[in-house]
Amino acid sequence: MADVLSQNEIDALLSALSAGDLKPEEVQKEEEKQKVKKYDFKTPQKFSKEHIRTLELIHDNFARITSNYLTGQIRKNTKVKIETLEQLTYEEFIHSIPNPTVLTVFKMPPLNGSVLLELNPQFTFQVIDILLGGTGDRRHVNKEFTDIDKNIIRQIASGIIANMKLAWEDVLEVVPELETIETNPAINQTLAPNEPVALITLSVELGKTTTFINLCIPYLSIEKVIDKLVVQYWFQPDNDSALDESKEKMKKSLDSVEVDLAVELGKTHVSVEDFLRLNTGDVIKLDERYNSPVKVIIENEECYFAKPGVVGKNMGVAILDIIDKDVDNYE
């Protein structure tokens, strides 16, 4: 519904049109801009604002834990904090990171699939330099990673990933497991190019240098626990037995509820004249055959197909199939 203009706004609009300051085409274009909102179906927004906010809270805690871990490992004051958290596609993430880099692939059961941790080469060589006795003040190192470099950074990456367990404990009990480390991101084909991912960029302040770490969480990984990525969920009591008991009580309460049930043998159309002439013994022809399934109607909703018959001395029906209403609703 369009916004209602006040009298002052109407007078101002008419004055602008009469003076030539505003053209009718411009008003129409402005209205079209307000009515139409672009949406790219190739990159659907699967993460809601609430999910993004929850992921930000989780990994803000992860950043603090990682700061303490790195400070203890390299014996140098390190500060890690979240810079950005956005949704994009996996292809965009891969194209945004340098080559070579350190791309750590790991799992976090019960989450599905793999999660990616990208350690910027500048950060990686800075840490290696400090651990091997240097100062870590070199600004840029342009060389390939050796086997010694990979072994050193593998230990650091394992420690960073292990911090996920503590960061996620308020939401879910995860078990991080390092799978592999790649230095060429182009050969990593763990996800489809257009798969939505949450990209968390963390800045690492080490001495006078600031570098970056990227954490890529695919939507597929958290899809089955997406309902837990709500802040209110954290404050719910973790009592599964009480929840099951409440569900059972609700089911028992519903068992005693009475509903109207009817069986429709068929339909027909008669004129008022024929209706007034009906007498005892007259036969009314229906639109269904005698051996066709009948419909069971519950509270004015068609729910089942059934077969009519006799149960003892009473008439009854045997349920044959469920009428799927969802298909009609989605069409």
Side-chain angles (χ1 to χ4, degrees), residues 4 6 17 26 34 37 52 56 70 75 82 101 115 135 143 201 203 209 226 232 244 273 296 322 325:
V4 179
S6 64
L17 288 172
E26 295 178 357
Q34 294 177 357
K37 182 179 179 181
I52 294 293
E56 186 176 0
L70 291 175
R75 300 295 189 270
I82 291 181
T101 187
V115 182
T135 60
K143 73 182 187 71
T201 302
S203 63
T209 306
I226 197 71
Q232 286 81 356
D244 294 339
E273 182 180 3
V296 179
I322 299 174
K325 284 290 184 181

Side-chain angles (χ1 to χ4, degrees), residues 35-163:
K35 293 179 181 179
V36 180
K37 182 179 179 181
K38 292 185 178 180
Y39 185 85
D40 189 356
F41 287 94
K42 294 181 181 179
T43 57
Q45 298 295 313
K46 292 191 175 183
F47 293 93
S48 68
K49 291 182 179 179
E50 185 67 28
H51 299 151
I52 294 293
R53 174 59 180 160
T54 305
L55 287 173
E56 186 176 0
L57 290 174
I58 293 171
H59 293 93
D60 185 56
N61 188 28
F62 169 73
R64 290 193 297 268
I65 299 169
T66 303
S67 296
N68 296 332
Y69 168 76
L70 291 175
T71 300
Q73 286 294 312
I74 62 180
R75 300 295 189 270
K76 197 167 185 177
N77 187 39
T78 307
K79 184 178 180 181
V80 182
K81 65 177 181 178
I82 291 181
E83 291 295 330
T84 60
L85 199 160
E86 58 183 335
Q87 176 182 327
L88 38 76
T89 63
Y90 178 68
E91 184 178 26
E92 290 173 331
F93 163 67
I94 289 297
H95 289 164
S96 66
I97 58 179
N99 184 12
T101 187
V102 176
L103 189 64
T104 305
V105 182
F106 66 99
K107 289 186 176 183
M108 287 202 305
L111 302 187
N112 294 326
S114 301
V115 182
L116 306 176
L117 175 70
E118 189 261 335
L119 304 178
N120 189 274
Q122 186 178 357
F123 165 78
T124 304
F125 284 119
Q126 190 176 14
V127 171
I128 292 173
D129 185 42
I130 294 172
L131 292 176
L132 294 180
T135 60
D137 293 333
R138 287 189 295 175
R139 293 289 179 183
H140 181 70
V141 179
N142 186 14
K143 73 182 187 71
E144 294 290 334
F145 291 96
T146 65
D147 291 339
I148 295 176
D149 294 337
K150 292 178 183 178
N151 288 332
I152 294 174
I153 208 62
R154 186 183 186 89
Q155 296 180 12
I156 297 296
S158 298
I160 294 175
I161 291 170
N163 295 330

